[in-house]
Amino acid sequence: MPAQVGMVKVLNVSTSSIFNIGDVYSMAPAASVKTFAGGGSFNTGTGIRVNIDRSATYINDREVVDQSIVNS
């Protein structure tokens, strides 16, 4: 059965998102990121104590594109 949609006001569609009005079978947004982090990063939980006097993250990334995303 076809969808019946009334008035729609779109304020923002951010990257890696899908906006669709009407009938659809399948939607799959894709995104890729590269993250660099130093010592003590990405800790989760309660009561975590991290003592790092001197920490440095040196990045030497000469690649312009790592791997492209292809939607099939």
Side-chain angles (χ1 to χ4, degrees):
M1 175 190 239
Q4 293 182 356
V5 180
M7 296 178 65
V8 175
K9 181 178 181 180
V10 178
L11 298 176
N12 187 12
V13 178
S14 62
T15 59
S16 300
S17 61
I18 293 176
F19 177 76
N20 182 61
I21 295 179
D23 298 332
V24 65
Y25 173 72
S26 175
M27 295 190 301
S32 176
V33 297
K34 184 188 292 187
T35 304
F36 301 104
S41 300
F42 306 115
N43 293 319
T44 58
T46 57
I48 294 174
R49 183 178 301 155
V50 178
N51 295 321
I52 300 174
D53 285 337
R54 296 180 185 188
S55 176
T57 303
Y58 299 103
I59 309 300
N60 186 9
D61 187 13
R62 296 181 182 179
E63 300 170 346
V64 175
V65 176
D66 292 327
Q67 182 174 355
S68 60
I69 298 174
V70 178
N71 294 327
S72 56

